[in-house]
Amino acid sequence: MIDEPAAQHVVCPSCERELPKGSLHCPYCCGDDGHQGALMRGAYIGAIVGLMVGGIVAAVYSSLVGPDNATWELTLGVVVACVTTGVIWGVLHQRGKS
């Protein structure tokens, strides 16, 4: 009796669908060529970096001008601007790689 290897099923960790054999990316999540997944990953990483930078900038600004003079509108605006810039930077960075 010959031991045959069991058939391996590859499942996408995001959508949990069974993937075609030998595929490098999920065609449902990443599109047919994989660029959509790369752009989404770049946007996510850029948003996280932008959130961290925006939080640091808002904290430094708030400590420089004092908590009484730092309005929440300006502080939130700085954080949102940094997150938006991070998303744009992340997408452009991933787009330049492909």
Side-chain angles (χ1 to χ4, degrees):
M1 185 167 156
I2 299 174
D3 291 330
E4 294 183 19
Q8 294 180 350
H9 298 284
V10 179
V11 177
C12 175
S14 295
C15 65
E16 298 180 356
R17 293 182 184 176
E18 189 174 329
L19 301 178
K21 300 269 190 247
S23 64
L24 298 175
H25 58 274
C26 177
Y28 305 106
C29 297
C30 299
D32 292 331
D33 56 359
H35 291 296
Q36 179 183 1
L39 293 178
M40 294 300 289
R41 182 175 51 249
Y44 178 74
I45 292 172
I48 297 298
V49 170
L51 184 63
M52 290 189 298
V53 169
I56 291 171
V57 169
V60 168
Y61 170 75
S62 179
S63 67
L64 285 176
V65 298
D68 295 335
N69 295 332
T71 61
W72 68 270
E73 294 97 354
L74 184 61
T75 307
L76 182 64
V78 167
V79 173
V80 169
C82 287
V83 169
T84 304
T85 304
V87 167
I88 292 170
W89 175 80
V91 168
L92 291 177
H93 182 71
Q94 283 294 339
R95 193 168 199 181
K97 285 185 175 181
S98 50

